[in-house]
C-alpha cells in the first residue's frame, strides 16, 4: 500500500541503482508517467540510453534462458501452458516461478526485439520490467503476509476463548457506533446486548495479544459470521478458534436447466456487497491497524474478493485475491479476439446482432441461451487443452454435436461462433484456476523462490 505523496518523495533511480529493482513499488513506477518520451523515462530512472539497451538485451537473454531451462520451445501460449502448468504443479522451482512471472508481465516468446528500432526496444523493456517488478513486489508482499497470517490463524486454533474484563475500551464503542450509523444492525431490539457482546470481543483480543495485529478482522469475522447472535444473545462470546475458518460464497454449482430467481440472485449480490463494505468500514474504525496483514487474513477467510472482482464495480479498495492478481495480468492461453476456432463464417457484428435479437425477445431468452452454452462447456477440463490445440476441429465438433440440437440450420454459423468463443473463455478460466492453485501453494510453502 503506497500513497502518491510518499512516492513523490522517493528517488526512483535508487531502486534501479541499488541492485534489487524488485523492491521498487509498482505505484512508484506508474508515477513516472506513461506518456513521456523514451529519454524522459530514462532520465526519471537515472539510466542512460546505452545502459537501457544493455539491460534490455540482458533481460531478453534471461527470458530466453528461462524458456530453455524449463524446456519451452513453443512460441504460442496454449502449448506453453500445456507444458509449463504440469511442471509447476509437480515442483515449483526458482526458474519456473520466474518464467511464470514474466508471462504474467506480458513477455511472449514470439516477440523478439532484434528487429525493432532502439526507441521501441527501450519502451518495450521499460513496459515489461515495470510490470515484472510490480508483480514480483506483489507476490513477495503476499508471501510475507501469508506467513504472518498463518501464524496468527494457528494461534487462534489454540485460543482459550476467555475474554478478559474490559472496563473502558474505545475500540468496541467505535465499532458499535459505526455498525449503528451505517445500518448494519437492522432488527436489533436491545442495543446494549450488541454493545456488551462487542465488549466481549475486545476482551478476547486483550486476552490473546496476538489478535491485536488483526483487531478489525476479528470484529469483522465475528459480526459477519454471528450477526444474529451478536444482536440477540446476551453475553455471547464468538469462538475465536473457528472465527477465521474459510467460507466460500461462490462454491454453489449452478443449475443450468433452471432459470434462477432474479430477486434471489440480486439479494445475494446485495448482501455480499454489504459484507465487502462492512470490511472497509471496519478497517476505518482502526486507522493504526496493519492493513496489509488484515487484507491477507480477509483473503484467506473467504472468496469475497473473487466475488467482488466478478460482480462489483470499483474494486480497488478490496484486497486483490490470487485469482484477481492473475486476471489483472491478462494471462490467457487462447485469445478470444483472435477469431473462432472451428467455427463457420460469422463476424463479430453478426454475433452481436444475433444476441441483441435474442435479448429483444424478452422472457429471459438470452439468459436461457447463455445457460445452454455454459452447460455445454461445463465438462471441459484444463487437461483437454492439449487435445484442443492438436485437433481443435474434432474437439469443437464433439461439443457442437451435443449443443446443436434444436438450433435452426440458418443460425448454425453464428451459433458455432458463439460456442467457439465460449470454449476459449472456458480454457482461459481453467488456466486461471490452475495458476491460482500453483501460486497459493507457493504462498503457504516454506520455499522462498524470489
Amino acid at each position: 500500500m503506497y500513497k502518491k505523496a510518499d512516492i513523490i518523495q522517493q528517488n526512483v533511480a535508487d531502486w534501479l541503482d541499488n541492485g534489487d529493482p524488485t523492491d521498487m513499488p509498482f505505484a512508484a513506477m506508474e508515477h513516472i508517467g506513461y506518456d513521456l518520451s523514451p529519454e524522459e523515462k530514462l532520465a526519471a530512472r537515472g539510466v542512460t540510453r546505452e545502459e537501457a539497451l544493455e539491460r534490455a538485451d540482458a533481460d531478453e537473454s534471461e527470458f530466453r534462458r528461462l524458456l530453455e531451462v524449463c524446456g519451452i520451445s513453443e512460441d504460442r501460449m496454449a502449448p506453453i501452458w500445456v507444458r509449463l502448468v504440469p511442471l509447476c504443479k509437480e515442483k515449483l522451482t526458482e526458474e519456473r516461478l520466474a518464467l511464470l512471472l514474466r508471462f504474467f508481465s506480458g513477455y511472449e516468446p514470439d516477440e523478439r526485439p532484434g528487429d525493432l528500432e532502439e526507441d521501441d526496444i527501450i519502451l518495450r523493456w521499460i513496459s515489461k520490467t515495470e510490470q515484472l517488478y510490480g508483480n514480483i513486489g506483489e507476490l513477495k508482499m503476499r508471501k510475507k503476509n501469508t506467513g504472518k497470517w498463518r501464524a496468527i490463524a494457528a494461534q487462534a486454533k489454540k485460543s482459550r476463548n476467555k475474554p478478559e474484563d474490559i472496563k473502558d475500551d474505545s475500540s468496541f464503542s467505535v465499532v458499535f457506533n459505526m455498525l449503528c450509523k451505517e445500518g448494519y444492525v437492522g432488527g436489533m431490539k436491545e442495543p446494549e446486548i450488541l454493545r456488551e457482546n462487542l465488549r466481549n470481543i475486545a476482551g478476547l483480543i486483550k486476552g490473546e495479544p496476538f489478535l491485536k495485529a488483526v483487531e478489525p478482522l476479528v470484529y469483522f469475522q465475528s459480526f459477519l459470521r454471528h450477526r444474529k447472535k451478536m444482536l440477540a444473545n446476551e453475553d455471547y462470546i464468538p469462538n475465536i478458534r473457528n472465527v477465521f475458518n474459510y467460507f466460500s460464497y461462490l462454491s454453489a454449482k449452478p443449475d443450468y436447466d433452471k432459470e434462477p430467481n432474479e430477486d434471489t440472485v440480486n439479494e445475494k449480490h446485495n448482501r455480499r456487497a454489504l459484507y465487502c463494505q462492512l470490511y472497509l468500514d471496519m478497517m476505518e474504525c482502526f486507522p493504526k491497524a496493519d492493513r496489509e496483514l488484515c487484507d491477507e487474513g480477509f483473503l484467506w477467510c473467504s472468496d469475497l474478493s473473487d466475488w467482488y472482482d466478478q460482480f462489483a464495480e470499483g474494486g480497488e479498495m478490496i484486497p486483490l485475491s490470487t485469482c484477481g492478481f492473475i486476471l489483472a495480468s491478462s494471462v490467457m492461453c487462447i485469445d478470444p479476439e483472435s477469431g473462432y476456432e472451428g467455427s463457420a463464417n460469422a463476424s463479430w457484428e453478426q454475433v452481436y446482432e444475433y444476441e441483441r435479437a435474442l435479448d429483444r425477445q424478452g422472457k429471459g431468452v438470452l439468459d436461457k441461451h447463455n445457460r445452454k452454452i455454459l452447460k455445454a462447456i461445463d465438462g471441459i477440463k484444463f487437461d483437454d487443452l492439449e487435445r484442443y490445440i492438436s485437433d481443435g476441429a474434432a474437439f469443437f465438433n464433439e461439443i457442437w454435436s451435443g449443443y446443436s440440437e434444436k438450433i435452426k440450420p440458418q443460425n448454425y454459423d453464428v451459433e458455432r461462433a458463439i460456442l467457439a468463443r465460449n470454449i476459449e473463455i472456458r480454457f482461459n478460466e481453467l488456466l486461471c484456476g490452475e495458476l491460482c492453485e500453483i501460486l497459493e501453494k507457493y504462498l503457504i510453502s516454506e520455499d522462498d523462490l524470489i
Side-chain angles (χ1 to χ4, degrees), residues 42 52 55-56 59 121-130:
L42 292 177
R55 294 188 185 189
D59 185 63
I121 292 175
I122 291 171
L123 291 174
R124 179 180 181 274
W125 167 70
I126 290 174
S127 174
K128 302 297 186 190
T129 52
E130 279 179 350

Side-chain angles (χ1 to χ4, degrees), residues 13 16-17 37-57 118-119 121-123 125-126:
L16 294 176
D17 292 338
S37 68
E39 285 72 20
E40 290 171 320
K41 290 187 174 185
L42 292 177
R45 291 165 172 76
V47 180
T48 68
R49 190 178 187 85
E50 291 71 24
E51 289 172 335
L53 291 170
E54 288 179 5
R55 294 188 185 189
D57 184 64
E118 285 190 355
D119 278 0
I121 292 175
I122 291 171
L123 291 174
W125 167 70
I126 290 174

Side-chain angles (χ1 to χ4, degrees), residues 436-450:
C436 183
E437 180 183 335
I438 290 168
L439 290 190
E440 291 198 337
K441 183 178 179 181
Y442 168 66
L443 289 175
I444 64 174
S445 74
E446 298 296 327
D447 301 328
D448 186 5
L449 302 177
I450 54 175

